[in-house]
Amino acid sequence: MFDEHARFLRYYCWFSAGLVALGFVIEGLKSPMGVTPAVAILLLVISALCHGVMFAEWRSDRVLERGRS
């Protein structure tokens, strides 16, 4: 039971980290000063990597569960 909660928290942490980076870009675009393109691209890459790690962990856990059955 605790393994399922730990897995969910891992997925949630990666997902929220990706959303925070994406949120900084969106808030920067809404401000009058704007956001520099280099910073926006860096934050978008960070967001994509966080979501990629989350998806990779989900897939690897799914494969492990199939092996246990």
Side-chain angles (χ1 to χ4, degrees):
M1 179 175 137
F2 292 114
D3 292 336
E4 294 173 9
H5 291 286
R7 276 188 297 195
F8 174 76
L9 286 176
R10 263 198 339 253
Y11 306 147
Y12 182 73
C13 286
W14 283 114
F15 182 71
S16 61
L19 286 183
V20 166
L22 192 60
F24 281 130
V25 172
I26 293 171
E27 287 298 318
L29 293 174
K30 291 188 330 188
S31 74
M33 292 177 51
V35 63
T36 58
V39 172
I41 290 171
L42 178 65
L43 287 172
L44 289 174
V45 167
I46 290 170
S47 178
L49 288 174
C50 287
H51 287 131
V53 168
M54 179 197 69
F55 183 68
E57 283 193 9
W58 174 73
R59 295 263 317 210
S60 69
D61 286 343
R62 209 171 81 187
V63 169
L64 290 175
E65 285 179 3
R66 284 186 190 164
R68 290 183 200 159
S69 300

